[in-house]
Structures are given as structure tokens and as C-alpha cells.
């Protein structure tokens, strides 16, 4: 890419293109919708659609698609061409109606029983707040997705609603505090994305990676991540070429790809963009994951976004950096130089603290997935217990507020390097705490418990909704106060005192914390079924309904979809393990065992004095293990068959977790142990050494 600033956004129908291509009045009307959330007129949409189409056709497009985010977790698209019959030929056409509304046959998208399959109608509606873009000769139009009867069937609609909700509640509070110039507030997100890159040829030989995205068997390589030499290590040529192309493709799509580096595990990497509004950040993160996979194909690689592709080394997560800022350019979570005097900051901080404490279960639920179950609580990702880290300075300030003591903020210290040629610089006021699931990092919160493949819409709409709800409560308490400063101080103190249990600055990986958290009454849901059970708790349903984000029916649908999805995933994994056991592993070990037995017999026939001790020992060991492996295979097979007896979604998910998954782990231990004793000439799959060090 020769000129990044010219090519950035070249595939996006962005603001400058709209300004250049739309009549002034249309542009202004559209801006009102984008900036202020005002409804859009069909006449405006017609003009926009035509300009969009002209641009897309100039860029070589023949098709457009409404791009949406159904409950499957990924994105969905159905392509329509622009052609329209004219005389004996065609012309390229695109109307405002087509831009605004699409009607994909929605019968096969999960709806959690909201719709029967005969009620197939579903609508996609243009989301003008996220710009359209071009990929592979198609114009992509970001949309929201709902059913014929209006039920929300996607992840974007609740996110957009939660953003509006937070904006209106925050604006009300800010107006009380005298900031009447603020009209809108937006949440901002910068998601850091981890991923693995492995060689495509090796990937093709592993049915587990192809079907499940993770290895279901695989003995650990002699070397893992213990030397910590991969973290921030020099980037291999092949990976660097991949990363360069990935950046370029993302830049063309207007994604602010900023940082890239090697992560802790071998073959693991990370990409972080510059933050933007939650809605666009969500679309961009979905795009980033897709482009990551596509670009890998061109380089003979495969990008794995599963949370735990390999046992024994770190899995992949996603850090959701989140903040709130006003249309006047103020970050509401920026403490400023003197946080102790910044009541506005302390009020918003209190709202977040209260929200995270009261809805810690929802935050845990929103990051629950079959993949993430392998990480949370496994000493590599934050634990399944949600708590907040505020850092030393802010932590001390909060303590002084609660105790009524004095607090004086420290000036930033200068860091003295002790080397003349190195410039001294100002230190950050607090160090990082890498173990905290929800950490304050200077002027934003970093929610670190997300799995790498998660659609970030969910954690963000939950976060926005719960904070909006707390702000609404604050507004009610503060409005009408005669002495606003005194009322604010009292409310901040009361809130922080009441919710101090959620603040924890220590080591979240320690056993003491698990005990301490239990004493504090914090929840610790170790797996998806355990967590999901609380999705439909009364207080959670009420939160969403009260704030107009989703209805009770929709929440119940989401609950069912998640549980069903979990059981289906585990079922696929179990079936894949059985398939590998029966058709590959067992026959391979039998062949190798036969070779050993033949070797013993041949040696004995040559001379009774030849030692066959080594062969016999191995023969014995592998024969024993093979027997156990066969028994465990049968046990797992029966357990999978018995799953059908569990008809309730929660009950079935728990059964998969407690019975099927447990047996899968036992089967794997036996399989991996056989791998370490079987000749690599016979073992049917590429080893962890090849997979992790093969690029
Ligand atoms: P870290 O402290 O995790 O190393 P950075 O300070 O570089 O990282 O930020 C990590 C991510 O946080 C980046 O994606 C960055 O754009 C994002 N970020 C920074 N400020 C904000 C903000 N106000 N709101 C949301 N995200 C932000
Ligand atoms: Mg970070």
C-alpha cells in the first residue's frame, strides 16, 4: 500500500464520499439521523440509495447485501444484484426501499421458539449509523434484524437501543450538573483481538480443528510457552506478511487497525484497533474476524479464533475497552488531575461500580460460551468471579470517600531511567493488574473476560443498559436537591460504601481470592449452564424490560438459544472425538501394536537370546491403554446417546457439561497418552509440535 491516508476507507461509503456525492439537503438530513438519531425519510433514503449504488457500481460492484448479526454468533448476508429489466436489457437500480428494508427468508435463523418455521418472515433494517462498505464486489449495508411480528432476532438492535438509553440518562444527569450544552453521549469501545495462526496443510489433516475449531486430542509439545519468548517476540516473516496484508485490507474498510504483536502462546497473536463508538466497533470487530480468516487463506494459513484451540498453552480472549464520552468531546471516565474534586467523574464511576456489583451475574453470563469455559478460572484469563480493579490511586480515593478521610492526589512521578541518553518521562499513577476481569485503566474500563470469538455487541449492550439504569436511579435521587454538591457527595459515598465488595485490587488468580469472594457473596459460576441459569432471574429480566432493550419473551428466547447452542456444540465435539477414536486413533494404534508384536515374534524366531524387553514393555503398555481407550469410547458413545432423555434446555446443557464433557476429558487423557508412545509414522494427526511451531 503506497499511500495509507489515501487508501484508508477507500472501500467505505464514508462521510467524505456522502458529502461529495449527496445533494446538500440530503446530506444534512442523513447527518441528523446519524448524529441525533432522528427518523429517516423515504425521500432521503431514495437519494442516498442511488448515490450509494452509483459509487458501488463505479467500484465494480454488481450486488448489494443487507449484512446482519443473527443469534448464531456470526454475521449473515444474502446477495441481491442491482439489475432491473429495461427494454431487452437491464439497468442497475437500487431504491430507498431496498436500502431501508430487506426481507431474507429467516426460517433457519435461531429464534428460541419465538417463531415457528412456517412464520419465516424476517426483516433487516438499514442502520445508517454504521457506514456501508464494499467487499468482493458487493455493497455491504449494515442492518438490524427482526421478525415479522417485531421481535428482535439479532445482537445489533439491543446494542443500538442500549446506546440511546445510556445517552438519554447520562444527558439528564449532566444537565443536572450544569452541563446543559451536552446533547448526546456515546459509549466507545476498542476491542483487542487475539488469534492463532497455523499452517493450512496441517489444519487440513485435523478433523477436530475443521469441525470444532479446537484440538480434541493432542499430547503437549515438549516446549510450550514457559520461556515466554513468543510474547512480543520478533515476528516471523510469513506472519509479518500476513499481518501487513490484514492491516491493509482493514484500513481499506475503514477499520482503525493500530497495534499488532505476538502473544504468549506459540503461534498466538493480537490485533488492537483505535477505539470508536460501540456500534461501529462491533461491526468492525466482526469484519476484522472475517478478514482475519480470509487473508489467512491467501497465505497458506488458517486463523483460529476459538477460545482454546490447544490444551496446555493459553487460549485467546478479547479485551473490551469501554468508556463514555459526550458530543462536546469529554470522556466521562477521565478522572482529570484532581479526581477527589471531580464529582462528575466520581458520580459516573459510582454508577459503573454499582452496575457491575448488582449485575455481576449478567457480565459473567455475557462472556459465557462453550469455548470460554476452557479459559475463565484456568489461571490464564480472569476468573469466573467478576470484580473490579481501580488501581492504587483511585482505590485509595474510594477508601477515603467511604471512611470520610483525607485524600490528596499524587502528581505523576517522573520515571528516572538513570541513563543520560534516555529521556525521563512521567509514570502512570497505577500499575496494571492483568488478573482483573474489569479493570480501570486510566480513562476507561477494560472488560477482559470476553472470549476471542464473541460478538462484542452482547457485553456492550448489557454494560450500557446496566449503567443507564443506575444513572436513571441517580437522576431520581439528585433532581430537586437543594444543595447539589452535598447531595452528590452523599450519593457517591453511599453508593461506593454499599458496593465496595466488588472492588478487588489483588491477585485474581489466587485461591485466597476465591474464598474471599465467597465471603463477600460474589457469584462464581464456573461454566455456561451454571451462569446461564441466572439470565432469566427476575432482577435481570426487569432490568432489560424496564429499559426497553428486549422483552421478557426475547430474553427467554435468548436464554434457550444459548443453552441449545451450547449442547449442540458439545454434542458435535463428542461425536467428533468418537469419530476420531474409532476411525483413526484405534486403527492406527492397532497397526503399531501389531508391528511391535511382529517384531517380538521375528526376533524370537531368529534367536531366543535376543532381548525383546523394550518391545514387550511398549506392547504391554499400549495394549492396556488401547483396552481402556476402547472402553471409554463406548462409555462416551452411550452418554451421548442418553442426552436425548434430557428434554429441558437447561437440564440438557448441564448434562453435557457434567457427564459428556467429563468423559470427553477422560477419553482425551487416554488418547494423548497413547500418542506419546506411538510411532509418529503411525499416529494419524499432526502433533502439537508441528501445529504450534509449524509456521
Ligand atoms: P493497554 O493499556 O491495554 O495496553 P491502550 O491504552 O493502547 O492499551 O488501549 C487499548 C485499547 O483501548 C485500544 O483499542 C484503545 O483504542 C482503547 N481505548 C483507549 N481509550 C479508549 C476510550 N476512551 N474508550 C474506549 N476504548 C479506548
Ligand atoms: Mg489491554
Amino acid at each position: 500500500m503506497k499511500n495509507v491516508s489515501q487508501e484508508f476507507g477507500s472501500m467505505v461509503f464514508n462521510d467524505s464520499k456522502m458529502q461529495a456525492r449527496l445533494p446538500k439537503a440530503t446530506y444534512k438530513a442523513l447527518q441528523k439521523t446519524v448524529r441525533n438519531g432522528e427518523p429517516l425519510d423515504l425521500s432521503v433514503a431514495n437519494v442516498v440509495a442511488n448515490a450509494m449504488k452509483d459509487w458501488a457500481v463505479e467500484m465494480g460492484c454488481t450486488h448489494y447485501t443487507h449484512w446482519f448479526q443473527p443469534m448464531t454468533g456470526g454475521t449473515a448476508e444474502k446477495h441481491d444484484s442491482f439489475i432491473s429489466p429495461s427494454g431487452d436489457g437491464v439497468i442497475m437500480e437500487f431504491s430507498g426501499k431496498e436500502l431501508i428494508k430487506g426481507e431474507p427468508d429467516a426460517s433457519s435463523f435461531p429464534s428460541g421458539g419465538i417463531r415457528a418455521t412456517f412464520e419465516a418472515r424476517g426483516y433487516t433494517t438499514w442502520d445508517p449509523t454504521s457506514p456501508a462498505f464494499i467487499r468482493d464486489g458487493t455493497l455491504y449495508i449494515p442492518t438490524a434484524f427482526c421478525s415479522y411480528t417485531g421481535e428482535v432476532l439479532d445482537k445489533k438492535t439491543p446494542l443500538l437501543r442500549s446506546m440511546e438509553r445510556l445517552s438519554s440518562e447520562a444527558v439528564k444527569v449532566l444537565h443536572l450538573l450544569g452541563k446543559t450544552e451536552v446533547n448526546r453521549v456515546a459509549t466507545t469501545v476498542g476491542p483487542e483481538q487475539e488469534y492463532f495462526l497455523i499452517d493450512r496443510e496441517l489444519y487440513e489433516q485435523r478433523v477436530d480443528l475443521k469441525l470444532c475449531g479446537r484440538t480434541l486430542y493432542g499430547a503437549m509439545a515438549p516446549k510450550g510457552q514457559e520461556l515466554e519468548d513468543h510474547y512480543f517476540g520478533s515476528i516471523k516473516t510469513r506472519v509479518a506478511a500476513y499481518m501487513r496484508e490484514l492491516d491493509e485490507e482493514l484500513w481499506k474498510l475503514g477499520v482503525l487497525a493500530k497495534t499488532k504483536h505476538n502473544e504468549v502462546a506459540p503461534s498466538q497473536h493480537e490485533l488492537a484497533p483505535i477505539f470508536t463508538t460501540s456500534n461501529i466497533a462491533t461491526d468492525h470487530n466482526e469484519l476484522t474476524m472475517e478478514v482475519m480468516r480470509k487473508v489467512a487463506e491467501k497465505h497458506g494459513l488458517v486463523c483460529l479464533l476459538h477460545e482454546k484451540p490447544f490444551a496446555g498453552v493459553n487460549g485467546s480472549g478479547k479485551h473490551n475497552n469501554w468508556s463514555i464520552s459526550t458530543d462536546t468531546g469529554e470522556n466521562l471516565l477521565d478522572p482529570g488531575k484532581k479526581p477527589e474534586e471531580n464529582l462528575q467523574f466520581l458520580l459516573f464511576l459510582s454508577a459503573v461500580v454499582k452496575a457491575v456489583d448488582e449485575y455481576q451475574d449478567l457480565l459473567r453470563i455475557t462472556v459465557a460460551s462453550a469455548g470460554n469455559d476452557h479459559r475463565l478460572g484456568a489461571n490464564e484469563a480472569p476468573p469466573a468471579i467478576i470484580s473490579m480493579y481501580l488501581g492504587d490511586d483511585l482505590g485509595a480515593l474510594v477508601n477515603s470517600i467511604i471512611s470520610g478521610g483525607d485524600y490528596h492526589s499524587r502528581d505523576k512521578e517522573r520515571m528516572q531511567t538513570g541513563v543520560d541518553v534516555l529521556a525521563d518521562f512521567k509514570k502512570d499513577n497505577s500499575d496494571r493488574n492483568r488478573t482483573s476481569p474489569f479493570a480501570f485503566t486510566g480513562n476507561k474500563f477494560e472488560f477482559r473476560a470476553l472470549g476471542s470469538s464473541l460478538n462484542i455487541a452482547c457485553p456492550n449492550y448489557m454494560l450500557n443498559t446496566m449503567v443507564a439504569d443506575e444513572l436513571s436511579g441517580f437522576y431520581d435521587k439528585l433532581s430537586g436537591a437543594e444543595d447539589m454538591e452535598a447531595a452528590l457527595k452523599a450519593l457517591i459515598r453511599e453508593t461506593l460504601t454499599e458496593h465496595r465488595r466488588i472492588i478487588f485490587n489483588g491477585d485474581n488468580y489466587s485461591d485466597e481470592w476465591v474464598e474471599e469472594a465467597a465471603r463477600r457473596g460474589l457469584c462464581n459460576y464456573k461454566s455456561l449452564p451454571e451462569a446461564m441459569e441466572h439470565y432469566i432471574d427476575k432482577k435481570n429480566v426487569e432490568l432489560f424490560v424496564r429499559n426497553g432493550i428486549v422483552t421478557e419473551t426475547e430474553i427467554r428466547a435468548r436464554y434457550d438459544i444459548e443453552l441449545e447452542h451450547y449442547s449442540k456444540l458439545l454434542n458435535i465435539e463428542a461425536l467428533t472425538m468418537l469419530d476420531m477414536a474409532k476411525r483413526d486413533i484405534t486403527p492406527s494404534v492397532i497397526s503399531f501394536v501389531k508391528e511391535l508384536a511382529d517384531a517380538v515374534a521375528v526376533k524370537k524366531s531368529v534367536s531366543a537370546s535376543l532381548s525383546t524387553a523394550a518391545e514387550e514393555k511398549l506392547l504391554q503398555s499400549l495394549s492396556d491403554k488401547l483396552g481402556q481407550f476402547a472402553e471409554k469410547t463406548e462409555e462416551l458413545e452411550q452418554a451421548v446417546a442418553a442426552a436425548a432423555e434430557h428434554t429441558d434446555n437447561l437440564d440438557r446443557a448441564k448434562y453435557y457439561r457434567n457427564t459428556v464433557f467429563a468423559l470427553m476429558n477422560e477419553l482425551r487423557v487416554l488418547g494423548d497418552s497413547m500418542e506419546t508412545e506411538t510411532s509418529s509414522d503411525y499416529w494419524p494427526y499432526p502433533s502439537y509440535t508441528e501445529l504450534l511451531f509449524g509456521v
Side-chain angles (χ1 to χ4, degrees):
M1 192 177 266
K2 285 211 185 83
N3 190 332
V4 176
S5 41
Q6 245 170 38
E7 291 207 37
F8 184 85
S10 59
M11 292 295 178
V12 187
F13 196 64
N14 54 15
D15 194 63
S16 50
K17 286 190 196 79
M18 287 188 228
Q19 219 166 347
R21 286 171 176 266
L22 294 175
K24 234 191 190 134
T26 312
Y27 175 76
K28 276 198 175 150
L30 185 58
Q31 281 307 302
K32 272 195 182 154
T33 302
V34 174
R35 298 228 169 99
N36 311 334
E38 289 177 24
L40 195 87
D41 220 63
L42 185 61
S43 62
V44 174
N46 274 323
V47 182
V48 177
N50 197 52
M52 244 188 214
K53 183 258 312 176
D54 284 347
W55 169 71
V57 171
E58 277 168 39
M59 298 288 290
C61 290
T62 51
H63 288 70
Y64 71 92
T65 181
H66 275 200
W67 187 61
F68 57 105
Q69 300 173 19
M71 306 299 295
T72 48
T75 58
E77 52 193 77
K78 180 184 114 194
H79 299 208
D80 278 292
S81 72
F82 290 122
I83 64 161
S84 164
S86 168
D88 55 2
V90 292
I91 50 166
M92 302 300 257
E93 256 183 6
F94 187 44
S95 68
K97 239 195 200 151
E98 289 169 306
L99 168 63
I100 289 182
K101 192 185 90 178
E103 200 183 316
D105 178 352
S107 52
S108 292
F109 290 107
S111 73
I114 282 183
R115 276 163 330 156
T117 29
F118 58 87
E119 301 168 315
R121 254 181 227 272
Y123 294 116
T124 48
T125 329
W126 177 36
D127 166 18
T129 62
S130 179
F133 56 89
I134 292 175
R135 282 186 70 198
D136 302 328
T138 297
L139 175 69
Y140 280 68
I141 299 156
T143 58
F145 181 45
C146 66
S147 75
Y148 180 68
T149 39
E151 277 98 3
V152 176
L153 295 176
D154 72 345
K155 310 209 168 193
K156 169 166 265 197
T157 311
L159 177 65
L160 290 172
R161 286 180 180 166
S162 74
M163 288 170 71
E164 300 246 334
R165 184 83 187 114
L166 182 58
S167 176
S168 61
E169 291 310 315
V171 167
K172 267 164 58 189
V173 168
L174 287 169
H175 285 189
L176 265 190
L177 302 184
K179 290 256 165 83
T180 47
E181 69 283 8
V182 175
N183 290 313
R184 272 181 91 76
V185 157
T187 47
T188 49
V189 169
E192 303 165 49
Q193 178 71 48
E194 292 182 341
Y195 61 98
F196 278 86
L197 277 185
I198 63 165
D199 189 84
R200 178 160 288 274
E201 276 183 27
L202 299 172
Y203 168 88
E204 293 293 345
Q205 298 168 49
R206 299 230 27 155
V207 61
D208 47 2
L209 284 176
K210 287 206 278 187
L211 297 188
C212 309
R214 74 177 182 102
T215 52
L216 299 171
Y217 297 96
M220 188 52 202
K223 179 183 171 185
Q225 64 191 43
E226 60 275 62
L227 296 180
E228 292 168 338
D229 50 351
H230 194 253
Y231 191 55
F232 285 13
S234 143
I235 299 170
K236 288 182 186 162
T237 314
R238 198 167 160 201
V239 175
Y242 165 83
M243 287 177 163
R244 169 181 289 267
E245 189 173 338
L246 175 61
D247 277 339
E248 291 179 356
E249 288 306 312
L250 291 174
W251 289 337
K252 285 190 220 160
L253 290 166
V255 177
L256 293 156
K258 172 81 172 163
T259 313
K260 51 188 179 186
H261 64 81
N262 286 350
E263 257 300 328
V264 179
S267 283
Q268 192 185 30
H269 315 279
E270 181 180 303
L271 180 146
I274 296 171
F275 69 94
T276 175
T277 58
S278 316
N279 181 32
I280 293 178
T282 300
D283 285 359
H284 280 182
N285 184 248
E286 289 298 305
L287 256 183
T288 299
M289 292 193 284
E290 284 178 31
V291 175
M292 278 179 163
R293 291 199 188 97
K294 284 265 158 88
V295 172
E297 283 173 21
K298 289 207 222 159
H299 292 255
L301 298 166
V302 173
C303 172
L304 300 176
L305 289 166
H306 192 282
E307 283 74 17
K308 192 74 181 177
F310 304 102
V313 294
N314 275 10
S316 299
K318 183 138 65 188
H319 290 177
N320 190 82
N321 294 275
W322 174 90
S323 193
I324 322 171
S325 58
T326 66
D327 57 351
T328 51
E330 190 182 0
N331 179 349
L332 297 173
L333 293 179
D334 187 346
K337 287 221 165 78
K338 293 208 176 303
E340 65 274 30
E341 290 166 14
N342 189 345
L343 293 180
Q344 178 190 301
F345 163 73
L346 290 172
L347 185 71
F348 279 88
L349 176 73
S350 303
V352 180
V353 170
K354 183 164 190 264
V356 174
D357 185 28
E358 287 181 343
Y359 300 103
Q360 45 179 290
D361 49 350
L362 275 183
L363 289 174
R364 171 64 186 92
I365 287 163
T366 192
V367 298
S369 70
N372 220 17
D373 276 359
H374 296 279
R375 297 173 66 243
L376 299 183
N379 275 17
E380 60 170 65
I385 306 162
I386 300 290
S387 70
M388 288 171 94
Y389 169 79
L390 296 182
D392 296 341
D393 275 31
L394 206 50
L397 170 56
V398 166
N399 285 340
S400 76
I401 291 171
I402 292 170
S403 64
D406 265 353
Y407 174 86
H408 298 288
S409 52
R410 289 188 283 151
D411 271 344
K412 283 194 174 177
E413 285 169 32
R414 292 201 76 78
M415 175 70 110
Q416 254 124 41
T417 55
V419 181
D420 289 345
V421 292
L422 300 181
D424 291 343
F425 53 88
K426 279 188 182 167
K427 270 200 331 188
D428 288 312
N429 272 347
S430 70
D431 201 357
R432 294 157 184 268
N433 180 330
R434 286 286 176 211
T435 67
S436 175
F438 204 94
F440 185 71
T441 49
N443 59 6
K444 61 184 187 288
F445 278 98
E446 189 170 349
F447 186 20
R448 299 209 183 101
L450 285 69
S452 47
S453 66
L454 189 72
N455 182 320
I456 62 170
C458 297
N460 283 297
Y461 84 68
M462 297 219 181
L463 204 46
N464 294 346
T465 305
M466 55 186 79
V467 173
D469 194 69
E470 304 301 359
L471 287 173
S472 162
F474 283 4
Y475 176 83
D476 292 344
K477 285 200 171 157
L478 292 172
S479 57
E482 277 174 17
D483 182 345
M484 185 54 77
E485 190 178 326
L488 270 173
K489 284 183 172 164
L491 178 60
I492 290 165
R493 185 172 178 189
E494 175 195 310
T495 308
L496 292 174
T497 308
E498 208 171 310
H499 299 283
R500 64 194 303 182
R501 65 169 186 170
I502 198 72
I503 299 168
F504 177 64
N505 286 344
D507 179 3
N508 284 259
Y509 293 171
S510 68
D511 294 335
E512 294 81 58
W513 170 234
V514 177
E515 287 163 28
E516 167 68 18
R519 270 195 295 280
R520 293 189 190 188
L522 302 180
C523 47
N524 184 4
Y525 304 135
K526 296 196 183 68
S527 66
L528 180 138
E530 249 183 274
M532 204 53 71
E533 197 171 351
H534 299 279
Y535 199 178
I536 50 174
D537 282 357
K538 190 158 173 275
K539 80 167 183 25
N540 294 337
V541 173
E542 281 173 0
L543 172 77
F544 290 118
V545 173
R546 186 165 63 234
N547 287 280
I549 308 297
V550 275
T551 63
E552 176 154 7
T553 315
E554 287 159 355
I555 296 168
R556 288 190 175 272
R558 270 154 212 263
Y559 162 85
D560 280 323
I561 289 170
E562 292 294 342
L563 288 170
E564 256 183 79
H565 189 68
Y566 177 87
S567 297
K568 283 180 186 166
L569 273 181
L570 261 65
N571 190 55
I572 293 170
E573 289 193 348
L575 292 179
T576 307
M577 279 196 95
L578 288 170
D579 185 68
M580 293 170 83
K582 295 202 293 196
R583 301 195 318 128
D584 293 337
I585 297 177
T586 303
S588 303
V589 176
I590 289 175
S591 303
F592 183 54
V593 162
K594 178 173 181 299
E595 162 127 14
L596 288 170
D598 287 349
V600 173
V602 169
K603 270 185 162 181
K604 283 199 169 145
S605 73
V606 172
S607 156
S609 67
L610 283 175
S611 164
T612 54
E615 291 88 336
E616 282 187 54
K617 194 170 169 201
L618 193 51
L619 189 55
Q620 187 67 55
S621 168
L622 271 175
S623 302
D624 290 350
K625 283 176 185 166
L626 192 57
Q628 293 164 21
F629 188 71
E631 273 170 32
K632 199 56 79 185
T633 304
E634 217 179 302
E635 223 180 301
L636 177 59
E637 197 156 32
Q638 284 161 2
V640 171
E645 290 160 22
H646 302 264
T647 48
D648 171 71
N649 278 332
L650 180 63
D651 184 35
R652 185 160 64 242
K654 285 190 170 171
Y655 174 76
Y656 269 101
R657 170 74 191 180
N658 299 332
T659 306
V660 176
F661 184 67
L663 284 169
M664 285 164 60
N665 287 335
E666 290 171 26
L667 184 64
R668 177 181 182 144
V669 170
L670 291 167
D672 291 358
S673 161
M674 293 200 297
E675 182 183 350
T676 62
E677 293 182 355
T678 303
S679 158
S680 54
D681 292 341
Y682 283 81
W683 195 256
Y685 307 115
S687 68
Y688 263 36
T689 302
E690 291 168 280
L691 291 168
L692 287 172
F693 298 93
V695 174

